[in-house]
Amino acid sequence: MKSVREPAPMAARAARAQRAMTVVLLSYSIAAAIPLTVTAQGTAADYARAEGLARRLDGLVVDDADAPVWLQNGDSFIYNKSVRDGHTFVLVDTTTLARSSPFDQSRIAATLSSQLNRPITALTLPFTTFSFVDGESAIEFVPRDRFGPPTDAVRWRCTLANYVCAVAPPRERTQRERRNYGGGLFGGLPRPDTLPHISPDGKQEAVIRNFNVYVRPVGSEHGVMLSTDGSEGNAYDQSSIAWSPDSRRIAAYRVRPGYRRMVHYVLSSPTDQLQPKDSTLYYNKPGDVLDVDHPVLFDLASHRQFVVDNSLFPNAYDVTALVWRRNSQAVTFEYNQRGHQAYRVIEINANTGTTRAVIDEESPTFFEYSAKKYRHDIDDGKEIIWMSERDGWNHLYLYDGVTGRVKNLITKGPWVVRGVDWIDEAKRQIWFAASGMYPGKDPYFIDHYRINFDGSGLTAITDADAMHTVNFSPDHKYYVDLWSRVDLPPVLQLRRSSDLKVIMNVEHADASALLATGWRPPEVFTAKGRDGETDIWGVIIRPTNFDPKKKYPVIENIYAGPQDSFVPKTFSTQASMQAQAELGFIVVQIDGMGTSNRSKAFHDVAWKDLADAGFPDRILWHKAVAAKYPYYDISRVGIYGTSAGGQSALGALLFHPEFYKAAVSAAGSHDNRMDKIWWNEQWMGWPIGPQYAASSNVDNAYRLQGKLLLVVGEMDPNVDPSTTMQVVNALIKAKKYFDLLVIPGAGHGSGGAYGELKRFDFFVHNLLGVEAPERNHGAASPVS
């Protein structure tokens, strides 16, 4: 592959900006290195700094811009940014480069203050994102408390002509929502679609009557039954109905229902009554029998029906919506095989009902359909751009859609495509995001590029050594580039697509007030992984009163889910981890093998072994830090995590007790057979086999060594709370001692503010050997 061309003029400006801010950060870091008076750790003063830290640090970085949103005219974009005492919205006109306000924030604030019955100012609007509706004559948003959940469960609408605000009317469901595939994630049963499907020519409509496909003229109750093979246990799905563009054919799925598993809940402390309430939630788990969706085609003129042979899709985990070619000669869908080792794009000939695999993707481990599946059809499917990890790295391929053969590999090399921004079919160019292209730099940093369909002309359109988020205008004439690092506050620039030049430096965040508090950015640290070759990346967070003469216990914040990478790469106060560090700890976060966004081999470590969680790499990383910094005490290492991180946190004590001594495990998916089907079968495989028991914290609970705090919300809709209680049961049977915190009414999470205090105290007691502050002194008023 040819070398990447970088746009030189903006590279120089960006480099100067980086150096200037880095000098500022380094100056504060040097000042922090001056030895402080040695004091104890876990003191009342430490708690005073830790508790409420997020609120104290909030707002200290000014001109911190969020990712912009373009207006449909393509000449303007809007973004939200921090200002002293709050935040504000800014509208930028790309033709004049003028800034203005998209609406009168004071009038919105006055109306909402009255409606929500609480003080709101122009700079404290309870939303940081909104959508223009009704031709930009009104805005819609969800009111939120900056430090809490939404203050209202529904969207609000404010009309900009008179600034009247009220609850927004419900929006019409999209076709995807109408079909509601995968309702068993943690939602209710799929709702039946009762709306007629009108033909493209507007003359006919299709519905399901008595479980079969029925077509009638629009507005009439009399029509024709196209099928007779539908029944109660094998009915046609109305939401799947797809008309051909010429209005002469219909495709639909006939569905044989699978097992409807229900998770049962007891709300112990409802707010509206004394007695508890019980409820159920539709929730598929690994191994469950799933719906079987069978495509059927109908020719309206001849009333002919094609029941499609399923040889190419015999065992579906899922199939996508039926989509017609523009010429009405074929319909396509995507087949995701149970176990996720085969994924096919299938085309059905509308004249014969025969099928062919346009693309047949197979993997000996897993095809990551949930994050790395990309398909773009060109010229009605004559060519297809497809994403695959088949050569060991995530790349783009150009397919001949007629023959089903690969024409050429578009991107190539030991780096990964992270997404496609847009495709210019006329110029046969792809604008895309990728990471890992530059040796020696952070392989997780996302940059953006342009490349030709034939793999030539690779050009970088971003240049700063940072994490980039790019948003193109609707006409693709411009793009805004928002970039930062953990040690570099955000920069927002407007660029022109034709020559990649910066035409406006929109914002450059100022973190001087934050740095003045003693806060320091995390240190980025790398060490070799288990193979002795691969770099493992993480960050180190120290307390603001850090003293290198002391010894600091280490606490690892873990989330090792294979669906992504999780070590922070952009600028943030990291308030939660910083608060934990303030109590006298060093807090770290690491991406070990088994997480995503590196090579396929790196990712495949998770295959059928979620218990691995990258621990061999994590432990080596810790040891490398300790070798460099004598104050990094790896004889006292704690770990905490939530959800999959909760599974890993407990797993650290079960499978690596020689290194980890204490763990806080919240909302853990402790047994992958008990958790949601899509996430767990993706990584652990299907059918259910011995690998599930090998990774189970329930089956391995007898191994527990060290100190453990389990946290669970009794109403968790994401991870079945029973999986935590099964761990509890196994620990009791094994005569193991542990702590358990059950949060009444709580959903998925780490226990909120109370859970955070319990985590603080748990690690202070078990790693510092200090008693936490007495919290039960005095009398408090009961909460009604």
Side-chain angles (χ1 to χ4, degrees), residues 378-398:
I378 301 165
D379 192 16
D380 207 20
K382 290 183 175 61
E383 290 182 305
I384 301 172
I385 294 171
W386 180 254
M387 186 181 289
S388 172
E389 293 183 286
R390 64 186 63 172
D391 76 344
W393 302 87
N394 199 41
H395 282 300
L396 298 173
Y397 293 75
L398 181 64

Side-chain angles (χ1 to χ4, degrees), residues 4-27:
V4 180
R5 293 192 293 108
E6 297 191 17
M10 61 182 175
R13 279 194 293 271
R16 286 196 295 271
Q18 284 179 250
R19 287 194 294 269
M21 181 51 65
T22 302
V23 168
V24 172
L25 294 175
L26 284 175
S27 67

Side-chain angles (χ1 to χ4, degrees), residues 415-421 431-435 446-449 468:
W415 46 273
V416 296
V417 173
R418 299 286 291 273
V420 174
D421 295 319
W431 300 66
F432 68 99
S435 60
I446 293 177
D447 276 286
H448 293 254
Y449 304 88
H468 293 262

Side-chain angles (χ1 to χ4, degrees), residues 644-692:
Q647 177 183 8
S648 298
L650 174 52
L653 299 186
L654 302 182
F655 304 113
H656 302 277
E658 77 289 347
F659 191 80
Y660 294 96
K661 306 304 178 186
V664 177
S665 168
S669 45
H670 296 292
D671 189 312
N672 301 108
R673 295 164 293 193
M674 287 286 292
D675 196 20
K676 52 199 161 290
I677 187 172
W678 78 265
W679 195 89
N680 294 273
E681 284 194 6
Q682 168 81 93
W683 320 118
M684 293 297 288
W686 180 91
I688 303 300
Q691 73 272 19
Y692 279 84

Side-chain angles (χ1 to χ4, degrees), residues 714-770:
E714 69 176 1
M715 299 299 292
D716 188 340
N718 187 328
V719 176
D720 185 347
S722 292
T723 189
T724 294
M725 302 314 295
Q726 289 179 2
V727 169
V728 169
N729 183 52
L731 290 171
I732 291 173
K733 286 183 176 180
K735 297 181 172 59
K736 299 291 184 177
Y737 277 57
F738 59 96
D739 293 322
L740 171 65
L741 172 62
V742 180
I743 308 290
H748 191 63
S750 54
Y754 188 81
E756 183 178 60
L757 287 178
K758 290 291 289 185
R759 170 163 51 83
F760 286 173
D761 295 352
F762 177 84
F763 285 130
V764 164
H765 176 75
N766 290 296
L767 295 180
L768 290 176
V770 175

Side-chain angles (χ1 to χ4, degrees), residues 61-311:
V61 179
V62 296
D63 297 329
D64 183 0
D66 294 336
V69 175
W70 286 90
L71 300 188
Q72 283 305 307
N73 61 19
D75 293 331
S76 305
F77 62 88
I78 295 173
Y79 64 95
N80 177 68
K81 74 167 186 173
S82 62
V83 294
R84 209 168 294 279
D85 300 322
H87 68 97
T88 190
F89 293 98
V90 181
L91 172 68
V92 174
D93 186 321
T94 60
T95 58
T96 65
L97 303 185
R99 293 178 171 91
S100 62
S101 177
F103 51 79
D104 189 330
Q105 294 187 197
S106 296
R107 294 187 67 181
I108 293 279
T111 303
L112 290 179
S113 185
S114 174
Q115 294 273 7
L116 298 177
N117 196 29
R118 60 188 177 95
I120 297 172
T121 70
L123 298 182
T124 60
L125 292 177
F127 59 93
T128 57
T129 62
F130 68 89
S131 300
F132 274 121
V133 294
D134 294 343
E136 300 179 7
S137 65
I139 63 170
E140 288 190 359
F141 55 88
V142 177
R144 293 182 182 272
D145 179 344
R146 189 166 175 80
F147 296 97
T151 55
D152 200 323
V154 297
R155 296 180 65 83
W156 280 61
R157 173 177 293 188
C158 293
T159 304
L160 300 182
N162 54 15
Y163 287 90
V164 172
C165 300
V167 173
R171 61 185 178 85
E172 185 177 349
R173 285 182 291 156
T174 64
Q175 183 178 359
R176 181 183 182 123
E177 290 169 330
R178 288 172 71 178
R179 187 157 189 226
N180 196 17
Y181 268 110
L185 171 54
F186 36 86
L189 282 164
R191 292 173 294 178
D193 178 13
T194 58
L195 298 175
H197 289 247
I198 299 176
S199 60
D201 63 10
K203 297 179 180 179
Q204 302 179 88
E205 61 185 22
V207 296
I208 301 302
R209 176 176 290 185
N210 194 30
F211 314 109
N212 284 282
V213 179
Y214 186 81
V215 175
R216 64 196 179 201
V218 171
S220 172
E221 288 299 319
H222 304 287
V224 176
M225 190 75 77
L226 293 182
S227 69
T228 58
D229 54 348
S231 64
E232 291 90 339
N234 199 17
Y236 283 88
D237 175 12
Q238 181 153 321
S239 65
S240 74
I241 292 174
W243 282 91
S244 63
D246 63 7
S247 301
R248 296 172 56 190
R249 297 180 174 93
I250 286 176
Y253 283 117
R254 192 179 65 233
V255 181
R256 187 175 73 234
Y259 176 58
R260 297 297 192 241
R261 180 182 297 280
M262 296 292 177
V263 171
H264 297 262
Y265 296 86
V266 173
L267 178 61
S268 64
S269 308
T271 58
D272 60 344
Q273 68 183 47
L274 177 64
Q275 298 300 325
K277 296 179 178 180
D278 66 281
S279 60
T280 57
L281 182 69
Y282 172 46
Y283 188 110
N284 282 132
K285 294 184 178 184
D288 283 354
V289 176
L290 299 178
D291 292 358
V292 176
D293 294 39
H294 202 111
V296 181
L297 271 58
F298 301 94
D299 184 288
L300 271 65
S302 66
H303 293 183
R304 188 177 182 186
Q305 174 180 350
F306 293 108
V307 178
V308 181
D309 179 75
N310 71 341
S311 299

